[in-house]
Amino acid sequence: MLGDKTFSQLSDEQLFWQYHSESNSIAMIVKHLCGNMLSRWTNFMSSDGEKSWRHRESEFDNDI
């Protein structure tokens, strides 16, 4: 809920703004955090760490 309220205050331009080409936008960071949490918390009782289906590097592609 807090995230949704925060994002609703930002324009699309602000969500995707990058300081320079090597920096990450807010949208990229959220996409990365989502991938990380899905990987870490899926089957956390029976498996640990990165899952084989996660493509970490693609989380930083600006393809939203």
Side-chain angles (χ1 to χ4, degrees):
M1 185 174 86
L2 289 173
D4 288 338
K5 287 182 179 182
T6 301
F7 300 141
S8 69
Q9 297 178 48
L10 301 172
S11 67
D12 286 348
E13 182 178 296
Q14 291 170 318
L15 279 173
F16 293 97
W17 179 82
Q18 292 175 260
Y19 182 71
H20 55 73
S21 62
E22 296 298 314
S23 65
N24 296 317
S25 67
I26 294 170
M28 285 180 184
I29 293 169
V30 171
K31 184 178 169 186
H32 169 62
L33 289 172
C34 180
N36 187 12
M37 287 187 277
L38 282 171
S39 178
R40 301 294 178 179
W41 290 99
T42 300
N43 299 325
F44 73 96
M45 297 287 278
S46 59
S47 65
D48 189 26
E50 290 289 324
K51 304 301 184 281
S52 60
W53 46 260
R54 183 176 180 206
H55 303 286
R56 185 182 186 281
E57 294 305 315
S58 68
E59 294 170 7
F60 296 98
D61 295 339
N62 191 6
D63 60 357
I64 299 173

